[in-house]
Amino acid sequence: MTTAALTAGLERIPDQLGYLVISEDGVLASAGELENDEQTAAVMMQMVRTASRFKLPGSAEPPFKRMSVTLEDFVYMVTVSGQKVFVVKRQNNQQEPIST
Amino acid sequence: MRLSFGRGLERVLSLMRSRISVSLSASPLMLNLKLQVLLFKDPDERKPLIPHPNPVSKPPNGTDWITTSVPSARTDEQALLTSILTKTAQNIIDVSAADSVMMEQHEYMDKARQYSTKLAVLSNTLPQKKSLALPSLTSQPHQVLASDQVPYSDVQQVAKIAAYAHSAISQIKVDAKEELVVQFAIP
């Protein structure tokens, strides 16, 4: 998959604020608020590596498809596919329900 | 170094105690001591003290010969000393194994070669560590990342559970019931 093919899909994600594509060697692509953000890339790599080691008893695969780091205004979503880590920063559209 | 002793058998024995081995060859008039300062090499290596008439003799590995030799020997004194030396040599345990390592060097190299070839064979069959490090979570990364975000209620629930867990762990403490150290009263 070319870098353009990798990033085209990420560009189209609704309410995305930026994205990163990371491999074992380093950042392959970055854009938006995550452009050149090596620090966030490093943190996300470490987090997803740690999370991938959690296994449910009786299963060899990690029990999750996507990792979300939810902060107040935005959320980082991370997944792994084909030896590459995809990170997208999206607007947090989950609000506390307003009771009327 | 030439040491002359009068009748100094007691002196010789005290030198023995301070771990210098001594060979005694005596002339009728004086006793000359041939001093070997032994550095606790392998007892098998150490040849206790056959008086060598040839002063140019090559010392065994690690020993220092400070020697003057006298051709004639008082055999009875010498035999006594030799027996004392043998007993001491048997009682001293030598921990420096320098010689034995050297002797087996070719075996050591052989073993090293053996192990490295075994490792080479095994490393080809072992799975690569890198591929296990990051397992693939999905084949559709764009779809997964574009999906709906985690519902607020789920996030709240997880936060609440984490808070409970944190509170519970922070309340773990040691409940000291008895003294750990007690004195036994010995009447």
Side-chain angles (χ1 to χ4, degrees), chain A residues 42-92:
Chain A
V43 171
M44 291 301 153
M45 281 296 273
Q46 231 185 341
M47 286 179 80
V48 80
R49 248 196 215 108
T50 308
S52 303
R53 285 158 62 184
F54 299 153
K55 306 262 159 75
L56 291 176
S59 168
E61 293 169 22
F64 69 102
K65 282 215 187 74
R66 179 183 78 182
M67 178 179 81
S68 303
V69 183
T70 310
L71 298 156
E72 203 172 321
D73 296 328
F74 45 83
V75 54
Y76 295 101
M77 296 191 157
V78 187
T79 190
V80 184
S81 180
Q83 308 295 318
K84 284 181 274 292
V85 175
F86 296 82
V87 181
V88 69
K89 182 175 179 179
R90 291 169 65 177
Q91 201 99 47
N92 188 357

Side-chain angles (χ1 to χ4, degrees), chain B residues 3-185:
Chain B
L3 287 182
S4 313
F5 288 80
R7 308 173 63 97
L9 200 58
E10 298 92 348
R11 185 106 178 245
V12 164
L13 289 176
S14 74
L15 277 174
M16 283 290 302
R17 272 193 290 274
S18 64
R19 301 201 175 168
I20 300 170
S21 80
V22 171
S23 83
L24 193 69
S25 17
S27 69
L29 290 178
M30 65 181 172
L31 303 174
N32 292 316
L33 289 182
K34 193 166 49 175
L35 280 180
Q36 267 184 43
V37 180
L38 298 168
L39 305 176
F40 292 119
K41 289 304 176 183
D42 195 347
D44 298 330
E45 174 69 16
R46 203 176 2 143
K47 296 281 184 271
L49 317 178
I50 301 160
H52 213 288
N54 183 3
V56 205
S57 63
K58 184 171 164 297
N61 183 21
T63 62
D64 252 69
W65 289 68
I66 306 162
T67 157
T68 60
S69 55
V70 174
S72 66
R74 283 245 184 105
T75 40
D76 52 347
E77 282 175 357
Q78 191 177 324
L80 179 66
L81 266 177
T82 314
S83 71
I84 295 171
L85 276 174
T86 321
K87 262 186 243 162
T88 316
Q90 281 167 0
N91 290 333
I92 292 174
I93 299 170
D94 177 33
V95 294
S96 70
D99 268 20
S100 54
V101 170
M102 275 174 58
M103 275 195 306
E104 291 178 35
Q105 181 135 29
H106 66 282
E107 293 179 28
Y108 177 80
M109 296 299 288
D110 282 345
K111 276 205 167 166
R113 215 176 300 124
Q114 210 179 357
Y115 289 145
S116 59
T117 43
K118 264 198 177 167
L119 266 178
V121 167
L122 283 175
S123 65
N124 291 334
T125 53
L126 276 176
Q128 294 294 335
K129 199 181 176 189
K130 248 195 172 182
S131 63
L132 285 174
L134 259 183
S136 204
L137 299 174
T138 176
S139 57
Q140 306 284 334
H142 305 126
Q143 190 181 324
V144 162
L145 291 177
S147 309
D148 290 343
Q149 295 179 17
V150 182
Y152 185 80
S153 56
D154 286 5
V155 174
Q156 287 300 96
Q157 189 179 30
V158 167
K160 200 166 69 163
I161 294 168
Y164 281 143
H166 175 77
S167 160
I169 289 169
S170 63
Q171 287 176 47
I172 294 173
K173 63 177 169 74
V174 176
D175 189 11
K177 286 264 193 301
E178 298 171 359
E179 290 291 321
L180 275 176
V181 179
V182 295
Q183 296 286 351
F184 287 123

